[in-house]
Amino acid sequence: MEPAKGVFLEASKDFTSFRKMALKMKPKLRIKEKDYFFIGIYKGYLYGLSDGNLLKYLVVTNTGDIVKDVNITVRVTGLHNLLFQAWHLKEDIKGTLNGNIKFRENTIPLYIEAIEKYLKAIELLIHPNLQKVQQYKEDLKMLKEICYVNPRKRKKLSYNTEELKIRLYWSFNAILERKVYTEEDLMNFIRSFDENGDFNVNDEEWKDLFKKYWIHY
């Protein structure tokens, strides 16, 4: 996320204030040759620092027009949610390898599974080659073993945790810093998690999300 500027700041001005700031998601979603952007309204503090608490959001075009189409909005929202989770996992990987996170044993498989699904998406979207796939498998095995070790002892392991962190960080940054996603990219992203995945705007989970956060619900 980055501060909204220009037409994006203008589009969100009615929803911001001294304690509410607008941030724009860096990647944009391209649907039928038109670009769409996610603008989040966050709780802010003095000097414009946000604590990451999303209050509301809107979707706008590259000319600053606010989008009210629910089918477009659900796709842009979906991309934001995927990237938001990717960012959290990237930070968790950093904390794990730095010895700052202690896991309950029953949560480790779920954590590794989530990372594995993102690496599958990264492989599909960014660099589909067998060498990377094999490296990912080895990295995941190493990360899983590290998770079971007491945080205080992780830095004493024979693993090169710094190299592992760099490799996994680079992979997650590749999707977080990507400038444009097409609708096909997005569907491939979704189906890395669920081969039958799609966006059903009548789904109750989407309705609840819209009701809570979408400005034009």
Side-chain angles (χ1 to χ4, degrees):
M1 303 295 284
E2 59 188 8
K5 299 178 182 178
V7 295
F8 305 113
L9 184 59
E10 181 68 20
S12 58
K13 69 178 183 180
D14 290 341
F15 314 106
T16 58
S17 66
F18 178 70
R19 293 190 177 274
K20 294 179 183 178
M21 62 183 298
L23 298 177
K24 179 175 76 68
M25 185 172 73
K26 288 183 179 179
K28 57 190 175 184
L29 181 62
R30 184 165 292 162
I31 301 175
K32 296 179 180 178
E33 300 184 1
K34 288 195 70 174
D35 293 339
Y36 298 95
F37 301 81
F38 179 99
I39 308 291
I41 309 301
Y42 294 85
K43 185 177 180 181
Y45 290 110
L46 192 62
Y47 308 119
L49 298 177
S50 170
D51 67 353
N53 182 15
L54 178 66
L55 300 173
K56 293 288 183 179
Y57 75 89
L58 59 155
V59 174
V60 302
T61 65
N62 59 351
T63 56
D65 296 316
I66 297 175
V67 176
K68 298 182 180 180
D69 185 302
V70 68
N71 290 296
I72 290 172
T73 298
V74 75
R75 282 159 173 74
V76 177
T77 307
L79 179 60
H80 169 267
N81 291 353
L82 287 167
L83 296 179
F84 182 69
Q85 179 65 18
W87 179 81
H88 267 291
L89 282 174
K90 186 185 82 164
E91 293 303 303
D92 285 348
I93 290 168
K94 178 181 177 181
T96 300
L97 298 178
N98 286 345
N100 298 327
I101 296 180
K102 184 176 181 179
F103 292 94
R104 293 180 181 176
E105 284 197 13
N106 63 336
T107 66
I108 293 174
L110 296 174
Y111 171 61
I112 296 298
E113 182 184 359
I115 294 173
E116 185 175 21
K117 288 179 177 179
Y118 268 94
L119 291 178
K120 181 180 176 183
I122 292 165
E123 170 217 332
L124 181 66
L125 295 168
I126 309 298
H127 38 62
N129 65 69
L130 293 175
Q131 186 178 357
K132 282 288 184 185
V133 174
Q134 186 59 38
Q135 183 66 64
Y136 285 158
K137 289 179 180 178
E138 293 173 5
D139 287 347
L140 274 172
K141 182 180 178 181
M142 193 185 306
L143 184 65
K144 185 175 182 178
E145 291 175 0
I146 290 171
C147 288
Y148 284 102
V149 175
N150 186 293
R152 294 180 182 178
K153 298 180 180 180
R154 285 177 194 163
K155 291 186 178 180
K156 298 179 181 179
L157 295 171
S158 58
Y159 301 129
N160 190 329
T161 55
E162 196 59 35
E163 283 191 7
L164 177 59
K165 182 167 42 174
I166 289 170
R167 281 199 302 272
L168 291 175
Y169 245 54
W170 183 91
S171 296
F172 274 80
N173 278 337
I175 55 172
L176 290 168
E177 300 295 330
R178 188 171 182 169
K179 293 182 178 179
V180 182
Y181 281 87
T182 64
E183 190 169 15
E184 182 182 1
D185 290 334
L186 177 60
M187 297 315 300
N188 285 334
F189 208 155
I190 286 289
R191 286 166 186 159
S192 295
F193 298 84
D194 177 4
E195 62 182 18
N196 298 315
D198 206 339
F199 294 106
N200 179 6
V201 296
N202 294 313
D203 186 281
E204 289 302 319
E205 188 174 342
W206 280 111
K207 286 182 178 180
D208 289 343
L209 182 67
F210 283 161
K211 188 175 182 179
K212 186 175 182 180
Y213 294 110
W214 188 30
I215 281 171
H216 290 289
Y217 180 78

